[in-house]
Amino acid sequence: KSEVLIVDFKTDQPPPDIPEDVAETYKAQMAAYWAVLRRAYKGRTVRAALCWTDAPRLMFLPEDMLLEALKSTQSLV
């Protein structure tokens, strides 16, 4: 397989409509998972998504959003 998919289930009601409206804590959480798995699965595409159980809907988080969340988190440390 050439792709790794990370999915976290969330129960927010109602869920956000677009990735930009996802809570910062969720973005940071998914960015951390994404960063670790990118190192573990070198050479593979790693994608992160949230599965909103209230909708139900699978929402992919763009790579640039995950990178930004990582940078924001690192600046807090």
Side-chain angles (χ1 to χ4, degrees), residues 1-56:
K1 304 282 180 180
S2 63
E3 185 172 280
V4 176
L5 177 60
I6 310 160
V7 179
D8 194 2
F9 291 81
K10 299 296 184 190
T11 59
D12 292 29
Q13 297 177 355
D17 290 322
I18 58 173
E20 291 75 17
D21 291 340
V22 169
E24 295 300 321
T25 54
Y26 293 168
K27 291 178 193 176
Q29 176 189 16
M30 296 305 288
Y33 296 159
W34 175 77
V36 169
L37 290 176
R38 279 184 46 177
R39 288 181 181 229
Y41 293 98
K42 290 183 187 219
R44 295 185 187 181
T45 300
V46 178
R47 298 176 69 199
L50 296 170
C51 182
W52 301 103
T53 60
D54 186 56

Side-chain angles (χ1 to χ4, degrees), residues 40-71:
Y41 293 98
K42 290 183 187 219
R44 295 185 187 181
T45 300
V46 178
R47 298 176 69 199
L50 296 170
C51 182
W52 301 103
T53 60
D54 186 56
R57 185 173 73 244
L58 187 64
M59 177 185 286
F60 287 90
L61 301 177
E63 188 170 303
D64 60 335
M65 179 180 290
L66 297 170
L67 286 169
E68 185 60 36
L70 281 176
K71 288 178 190 174

